[in-house]
């Protein structure tokens, strides 16, 4: 028994699998109904409206519904999507034991301790039939999967089969004459819609369960007489076929297995028993220590069973479903049914090679577990759990392919696992003595070699080498030298391992983890999965592709992983060739899945620093999505991410992160909000790109910062202009600050005077020897002339002249990294695309900005008015000049004024201060609103 | 069988195998990296013998002669004799042979396996196969058995060689020398056995770094199977590894002739670097015969 999932809870009395989703309903003795995801192992929902134990529960085959019946005599129909009980069916007069939906009609059948079976129409919400006849509690009732039959089991020691053909006819053609008659009959005799067809007598005690065979006319029942009985029926009669004895206490539930010829039963003797349905012998018994079993359920599609017991439930399957396979060159060898077959990848042809010994049905899980193939000798080793672990060796004659009649007598032997270690040698693990026997193709022992560690299983690890798995580690062991070549201490329950084609890397797969190591077993990375890892294979680039129960994923050599696609059913990857992933499904069919490999190929290229590949992928493929962007950011390639992103805010952030100031400027223009300009300013300042800092401050009208920036960069004339603007905005403090920066005492006195601070103005004037002004002010002040401190000399405080005046500071070297130049072209092309969508005008502008700022970034000097143009074009240069209205009688020297105006009208003002350019720019500015320089 | 029970790991394993498959430089390097204190005196002696034999194989005869002093143990003395023999002229060779006879006659050292191995080798070079077999046929080590196989093959007695091979296979079928001997015998037998030989060389090249010896082996199989193209590719690969390897040159000559390509350069090279190679000798004797025949006809 392979347990897949277990829960701990109150006693579980009812179970039902969802037909498609990995869900199971468990109804508890406490009155709660739980819905579990048995794959993820999570409790999805609980429904708690029944009063007292809930014994029956069942999912609808297609609708999002389930039905439950409990000791409160109520049948409830629920919608699990809306988490609501839709309605309650009343009618039973005692505990309800089981409920079941009909697979086709809107019916529910219920069995109750009131000795009746009722059939309900859940659409009209009425009881459509009452089946009377049992004279004790009815313990179970269920529809036949295909025919119009119901089988029921009762404590009156009988199993009854009911014919509900009439009911179906009535449902299909309700207007039939029979209706009236039936109505009358129902009133008189309890109805003829459902009549007893057979009464099966044979059990000596109450019968707890009876169920139909899914396809054959068979019934199996289990009773308090501790027996399981098998019944057969034909059109006219039904009879007992056989009795299965073995349970030590009341048999609580019994059913046929849908896919195998076996019967599963469970009992209050704390065991689940598996019986061979043909030979009618017990195959296997699973016991629990303390818990009596109450209920069984089988998945309608998959090979899963569930059993409820005193303290929870278990979901399990009886046999492994992973087909044994082995990849060699262009072919994969695998076992399907009782044939050894191979599949050729290049031709996609399947060939049946040879029949293998049929696994005896004596016991479960005897099918081949692993395969090992020697291509030169065309020999196959098949290992299975038969007789506690054994192998069979088949040597396939080259020409026998396709001749399936050829049955070869296999060479057999006992051993935990067997694997080819050389062309004509295979190693067999002898667990009892912890040694390997090296045998030749005649199955003769050539050599014995003790193993260095207590080994559970052996795997191929290159010619002459074995990988041995122990509880706490795996080692690679050289059989000839008897030397440990590599060891990995990691307690992993190794299930499978896959070597890369160059034998340099190995992937070790356990239940919930993937470990990648090199050929000396030096650990590279470990990935943990919350659900089961199923299979894997290396692609030719060194990416490991693996599947879990529901995903196909990749693992890069550095341990980065991601999902390639979602899977509906588990598959077993055999080979990866480019985008094509070959796999086997549980039925042993070869399938080809084509996937989009661009994401992991892209990441691999980044990882391997194959930037040319990265480039071409960026240019050609459709990579996008937040995942790739954040991956690039996380891996330190914001500049690469920049080229995927269309969203301006993200672009801006990425540009700042990668120091790509020109893209940041372009984005900031698009976004145009204060915060982004401010951040742009900070970054530009960090890089020393004064022009952009200035532009950013201008855009946010951050005059104080701007003035200070002018001061420290030596644009004193612009400070003067800032002073004027401050005056215009009635920002006295700003005006005064600027005057201080300039060291202009006259201006200060004037400002103070204009502000009405006459004494201060006087003091300023007097101190700095502006006698004219001082006298005038003294006159105005009259009596209130402040006295100046005597005997102290004064000096004008002048800000120190900046070392690097008028121009960018030395630019911080921004690491443009690998994509220097290369991506610029791409970037521009992308901008062009954007522009094409947005309109030609914008396009030009964007391009200009990029060009211009490229020059800035490169520290070039060839900056002329043309490049500065676009801001004027969109009419939002620095700030609105119209508001400014400079007074004509300004005291600033004329040249300086021109200069200042230019700096404002131009986005990048650096050159405006160069005297030789002044006039040209000024004249240009005159026509700025319309020109197209 | 040596490899039974839990004897300690075989320290010389790698060195020995490198020597067997013809990876002489690798053998020299690995012998120097072996920790001397871990080895028993016997192992040490074997290591040194293998080391000097590797030097001999790459043609450093004089180095061996110089390094082995008069006080060295018998096996090393034997190797020194071999070095002298291989480097020397006719007179030296004679003295080596007589010295060998002397040592072999000495009951104290006469049965030493390496001495007997050297004796076998020398007598084989002397083409005194009966004498060689006298010393080697009693066996004792895999190497002696392998030498027996070689001697029988030289005598064109593949049947006896096969018997020796059976003995080797019974001792240790997976031993590298057994594998090699198997391949030699298969090559000598020809026919369907060639496939087997090819697989053996293939296995060896999978397991060990490819050497001239293995490449030549593979090429020979290809030639036997008529795949001259493939053989040429293999031989050229071998030539890249060692431009002066006699076997490679000889085989290339043959291969080129069969492909209808000019082979004179390979032949001249062979004549220059290995004037006493079998192929050269046979060529010159054939030429002599031809000249004589011409004169007779003239």
């Amino acid at each position: 028994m392979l347990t897949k999932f277990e829960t701990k809870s109150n006693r579980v009395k009812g179970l039902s699998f969802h037909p498609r989703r990995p869900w199971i309903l468990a109804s508890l003795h406490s009155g709660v109904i739980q819905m579990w995801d048995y794959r993820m192992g999570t409790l999805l929902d609980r429904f708690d409206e029944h009063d007292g134990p809930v014994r029956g529960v069942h999912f609808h085959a297609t609708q999002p519904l389930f039905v439950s019946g409990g000791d409160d005599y109520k049948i409830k129909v629920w919608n699990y999507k809306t988490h609501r009980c839709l309605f309650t069916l009343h009618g039973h007069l005692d505990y309800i034991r089981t409920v079941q939906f009909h697979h086709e009609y809107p019916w529910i059948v219920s069995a109750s301790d009131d000795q009746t079976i009722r059939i309900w129409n859940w659409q009209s919400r009425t009881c459509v039939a009452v089946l009377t006849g049992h004279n004790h509690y009815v313990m179970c009732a269920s529809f036949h999967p295909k025919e119009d039959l119901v089988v029921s089991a009762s404590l009156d020691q009988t199993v009854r089969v009911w014919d509900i053909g009439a009911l179906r006819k009535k449902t299909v053609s309700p207007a039939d004459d029979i209706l009236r008659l039936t109505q009358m009959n129902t009133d008189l005799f309890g109805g003829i819609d459902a009549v007893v067809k057979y009464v099966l007598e044979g059990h000596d005690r109450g019968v707890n369960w009876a169920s139909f065979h899914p396809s054959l006319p068979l019934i199996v029942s289990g009773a308090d007489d501790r027996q399981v009985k098998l019944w057969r029926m034909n059109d006219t009669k039904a009879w007992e076929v056989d009795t299965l004895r073995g349970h030590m206490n009341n048999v609580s539930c019994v059913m046929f297995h849908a896919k195998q010829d076996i019967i599963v039963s469970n009992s209050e003797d704390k065991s689940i028993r598996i019986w061979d349905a043909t030979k009618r012998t017990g195959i296997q018994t699973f016991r629990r220590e303390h818990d009596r079993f109450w209920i069984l359920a089988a998945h309608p599609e998959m090979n899963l069973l569930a059993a409820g017991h005193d303290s929870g439930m278990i979901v399990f399957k009886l046999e492994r479903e992973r087909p044994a396979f082995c990849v060699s060159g262009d072919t994969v060898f695998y076992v399907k049914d009782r044939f050894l077959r191979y599949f050729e990848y290049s031709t996609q042809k399947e060939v049946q090679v040879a029949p293998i010994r049929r696994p005896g049905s004596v016991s479960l899980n005897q099918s081949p577990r692993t395969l090992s193939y020697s291509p030169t000798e065309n020999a196959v080793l098949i290992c299975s759990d038969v007789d506690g672990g054994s192998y069979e060796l088949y040597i396939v004659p080259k020409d026998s392919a396709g001749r399936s009649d050829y049955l070869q007598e296999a060479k057999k032997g006992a051993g935990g696992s067997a694997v080819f270690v050389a062309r004509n040698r295979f190693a067999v693990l002898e667990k009892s003595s912890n040694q390997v026997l090296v045998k030749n193709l005649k199955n003769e022992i050539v050599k014995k070699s003790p193993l260095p560690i207590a080994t559970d299983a052996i795997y191929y690890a290159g010619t002459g080498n074995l990988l041995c798995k122990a509880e706490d580690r795996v080692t690679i062991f050289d059989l000839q030298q008897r030397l440990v070549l590599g060891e990995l201490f990691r307690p992993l329950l190794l299930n499978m391992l896959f070597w890369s084609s160059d034998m340099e890397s190995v992937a070790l797969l356990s239940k919930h983890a993937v470990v990648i190591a090199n050929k000396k077993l030096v650990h590279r990375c470990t990935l943990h999965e919350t659900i089961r890892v199923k299979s894997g294979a290396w692609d030719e680039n060194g990416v490991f592709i693996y599947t879990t129960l529901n995903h196909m994923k990749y693992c890069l050599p550095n341990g980065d992983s991601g999902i390639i696609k979602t899977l509906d059913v588990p598959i077993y990857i055999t080979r990866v060739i480019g985008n094509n992933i070959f796999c086997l499904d549980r039925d042993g069919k070869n399938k080809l899945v084509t996937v989009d490999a661009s994401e992991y190929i892209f990441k691999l290229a980044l990882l391997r620093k194959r930037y040319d590949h990265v480039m071409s992928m960026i240019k050609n493929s459709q990579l996008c999505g937040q995942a790739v962007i954040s991956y690039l950011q996380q891996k330190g390639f914001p500049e690469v991410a920049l080229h995927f992103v269309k969203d301006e805010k993200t672009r801006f952030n990425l540009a700042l992160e990668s120091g790509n100031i020109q893209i940041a400027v372009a984005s900031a223009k698009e976004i145009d909000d204060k915060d982004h300009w401010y951040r742009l300013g900070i970054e530009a300042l960090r890089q020393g790109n004064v022009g952009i800092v200035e532009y950013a401050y201008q855009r946010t009208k951050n005059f104080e910062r701007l003035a200070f920036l002018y001061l420290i960069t030596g644009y004193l004339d612009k400070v003067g202009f800032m002073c004027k603007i401050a005056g215009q905005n009635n920002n006295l403090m700003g005006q005064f600050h600027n005057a201080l920066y300039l060291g202009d005492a006259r201006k200060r006195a004037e400002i103070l005077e204009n502000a009405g601070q006459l004494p201060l103005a006087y003091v300023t004037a007097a101190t700095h020897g502006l006698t004219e002004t001082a006298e005038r002010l003294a006159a105005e002040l009259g009596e209130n002339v402040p006295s100046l401190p005597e005997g102290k000399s004064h000096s004008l405080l002048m800000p120190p002249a900046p070392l690097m005046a008028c121009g960018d500071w030395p630019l911080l070297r921004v690491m443009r990294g690998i994509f220097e130049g290369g991506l610029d072209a791409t970037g521009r092309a992308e901008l062009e695309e954007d522009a094409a969508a947005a309109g030609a005008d914008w396009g030009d502008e964007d391009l200009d900005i990029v060009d211009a700022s490229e020059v800035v970034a490169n520290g070039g000097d060839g900056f002329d008015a043309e490049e500065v143009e676009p801001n004027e074009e969109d009419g939002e240069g620095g700030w609105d000049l119209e508001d400014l209205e400079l007074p004509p009688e300004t005291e600033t020297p004329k040249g300086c004024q021109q200069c200042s105006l230019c700096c404002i009208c131009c986005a990048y003002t650096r050159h405006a201060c160069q005297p030789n350019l002044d006039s040209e720019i000024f004249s240009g500015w005159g026509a700025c609103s319309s020109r197209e320089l | 069988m040596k490899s039974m029970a839990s004897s300690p790991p075989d320290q010389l394993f790698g060195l020995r195998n490198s020597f067997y498959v013809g990876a002489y430089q690798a053998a020299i390097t690995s012998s120097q990296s072996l920790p001397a204190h871990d080895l028993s005196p016997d192992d040490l002696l074997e290591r040194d013998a293998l080391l000097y034999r590797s030097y001999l194989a790459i043609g450093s005869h004089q180095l061996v002669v110089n390094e082995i002093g008069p006080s060295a143990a018998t096996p090393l003395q034997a190797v020194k004799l071999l070095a002298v023999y291989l480097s020397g002229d006719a007179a030296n060779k004679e003295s080596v042979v007589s010295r060998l006879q002397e040592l072999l006659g000495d009951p104290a050292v006469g049965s030493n396996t390496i001495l007997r191995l050297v004796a076998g080798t020398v007598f084989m070079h002397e083409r005194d196969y009966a004498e060689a077999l006298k010393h080697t046929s009693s066996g004792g080590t895999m190497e002696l058995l392998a030498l027996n196989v070689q001697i029988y093959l030289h005598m064109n007695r593949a049947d006896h060689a096969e018997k020796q091979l059976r003995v080797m296979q019974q001792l240790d079928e997976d031993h590298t020398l057994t594998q090699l001997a198997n391949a030699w015998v298969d090559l000598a037998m020809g026919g369907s056995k060639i496939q087997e030989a090819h697989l053996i060389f293939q296995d060896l090249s999978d397991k060990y770094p490819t050497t001239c010896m293995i490449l030549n082996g593979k090429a020979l199989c290809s030639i036997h199977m008529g795949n001259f193209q493939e053989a040429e590719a293999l031989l050229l690969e071998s030539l890249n590894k060692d431009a002066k390897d006699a076997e490679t040159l000889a085989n290339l000559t043959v291969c080129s002739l069969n492909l209808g390509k000019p082979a004179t350069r390979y032949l001249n090279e062979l004549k220059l670097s290995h004037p006493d190679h079998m192929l050269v000798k046979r060529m010159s004797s054939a030429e002599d015969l031809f000249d004589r025949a011409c004169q007779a006809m003239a």
Side-chain angles (χ1 to χ4, degrees), chain A residues 391-413:
Chain A
Y391 66 88
E392 286 169 44
L393 173 67
Y394 293 89
I395 297 165
V396 185
K398 289 273 187 203
D399 53 353
S400 82
R403 275 173 45 198
S404 54
D405 53 330
Y406 171 80
L407 178 59
Q408 185 187 27
E409 200 42 54
K411 298 190 175 71
K412 293 172 206 163

Side-chain angles (χ1 to χ4, degrees), chain A residues 322-384:
Chain A
R322 182 177 188 269
F325 67 87
C326 168
V327 180
S328 165
D330 186 41
T331 50
V332 56
F333 283 81
Y334 59 99
V335 173
K336 181 176 174 180
D337 304 328
R338 38 180 287 270
F339 289 101
L340 176 69
R341 304 164 69 97
Y342 74 80
F343 173 79
E344 230 168 53
Y345 294 115
S346 51
T347 57
Q348 303 208 12
K349 206 174 66 181
E350 278 188 40
V351 177
Q352 190 161 302
V353 183
I356 57 167
R357 194 169 61 94
R358 186 202 285 275
S361 63
V362 207
S363 179
L364 291 165
N365 249 335
Q366 306 287 292
S367 54
R369 204 183 162 103
T370 60
L371 265 184
S372 182
Y373 175 67
S374 165
T376 38
E377 304 289 340
N378 216 23
V380 179
L381 268 175
I382 299 173
C383 297
S384 65

Side-chain angles (χ1 to χ4, degrees), chain B residues 210-269:
Chain B
T210 48
T211 60
C212 289
M213 184 198 276
I214 292 173
L215 286 168
N216 269 297
K218 279 168 117 175
L220 266 182
C221 297
S222 300
I223 289 175
H224 273 283
M225 292 188 281
N227 295 331
F228 293 103
Q229 298 278 1
E230 195 183 307
E232 191 192 20
L234 289 163
L235 289 167
L236 288 175
E237 190 186 336
S238 167
L239 198 66
N240 280 337
K241 290 192 182 294
D242 182 1
K244 297 226 182 296
D245 185 63
E247 300 306 321
T248 310
L249 287 168
N251 287 327
L252 252 181
T253 311
V254 175
C255 192
S256 300
L257 283 174
N258 275 293
L259 282 169
K261 291 182 180 175
T264 36
R265 194 147 36 83
Y266 300 129
L267 191 58
N268 290 339
E269 182 89 30

Side-chain angles (χ1 to χ4, degrees), chain A residues 434 449-455 468 473 475-477 482-484 487:
Chain A
N434 198 41
S449 181
L451 290 171
I453 54 170
T455 305
C468 307
R473 70 183 108 165
T475 56
I476 291 185
F477 184 62
R482 294 202 308 283
L483 210 66
V484 172
E487 239 175 328

